[in-house]
């Protein structure tokens, strides 16, 4: 089970941090991903992190602005959103891929087995 939190309203240029608590089987390696869906648009990849190795990947649209991190002790994955833009407005979802295999395919939502309820981020201009 996954539970994302931390969304809210922020002005353009501001920052927010989202968190996602990992429950269930927490041992071993797996991939945690963040996706978002804006109104009227398809869900898109935002970022991913390899739980054991720490490798990360980002969508080009958020690279250098967003940072994905993890707290192994608390079994929590974070998405730090900086320099937010109105086009970042979306519902953000965390997801878990059961295996730790890593590659460009971590950007595909179909690779993930578990999804949490989303948290809304609204960025005003």
């Amino acid at each position: 089970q996954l539970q994302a939190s931390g969304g809210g309203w922020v002005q353009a240029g501001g920052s927010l941090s989202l968190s996602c608590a990992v429950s269930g089987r927490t041992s071993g390696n797996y991939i945690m991903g963040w996706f978002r869906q804006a109104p009227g648009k398809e869900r898109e990849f935002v970022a991913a992190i390899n739980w054991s190795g720490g490798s990360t990947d980002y969508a080009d649209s958020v690279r250098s602005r967003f940072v994905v991190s993890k707290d192994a002790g608390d079994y929590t994955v974070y998405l730090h959103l900086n320099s937010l833009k109105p086009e970042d407005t979306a519902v953000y979802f965390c997801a878990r891929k059961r295996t730790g295999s890593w590659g460009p395919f971590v950007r595909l939502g179909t690779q993930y087995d578990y999804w949490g309820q989303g948290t809304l981020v609204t960025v005003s201009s």
Side-chain angles (χ1 to χ4, degrees):
Q1 294 180 348
L2 303 171
Q3 181 63 53
S5 61
W9 178 89
V10 64
Q11 286 190 322
S15 299
L16 278 177
S17 288
L18 309 181
S19 63
C20 179
V22 182
S23 61
R25 185 174 180 271
T26 54
S27 61
N29 193 24
Y30 42 90
I31 310 299
M32 295 299 299
W34 286 96
F35 292 78
R36 69 185 181 185
Q37 187 167 19
K41 295 188 176 181
E42 294 187 352
R43 183 181 64 195
E44 65 175 359
F45 169 76
V46 177
I49 186 167
N50 180 299
W51 189 260
S52 292
S55 299
T56 58
D57 190 21
Y58 296 91
D60 290 343
S61 60
V62 307
R63 193 182 306 275
S64 80
R65 298 189 299 122
F66 292 7
V67 178
V68 60
S69 64
K70 62 180 175 71
D71 184 330
D74 286 343
Y75 297 105
T76 301
V77 62
Y78 299 94
L79 184 67
H80 305 284
L81 293 69
N82 303 304
S83 301
L84 283 161
K85 305 175 181 180
E87 52 263 43
D88 294 318
T89 294
V91 177
Y92 285 72
F93 300 88
C94 62
R96 174 174 171 174
K97 177 175 173 294
R98 280 184 294 189
T99 66
S101 54
W102 183 263
F105 47 81
V106 299
R107 298 184 173 203
L108 300 175
T110 53
Q111 291 288 312
Y112 292 80
D113 305 287
Y114 308 105
W115 292 80
Q117 292 186 339
T119 185
L120 176 63
V121 173
T122 304
V123 184
S124 66
S125 58

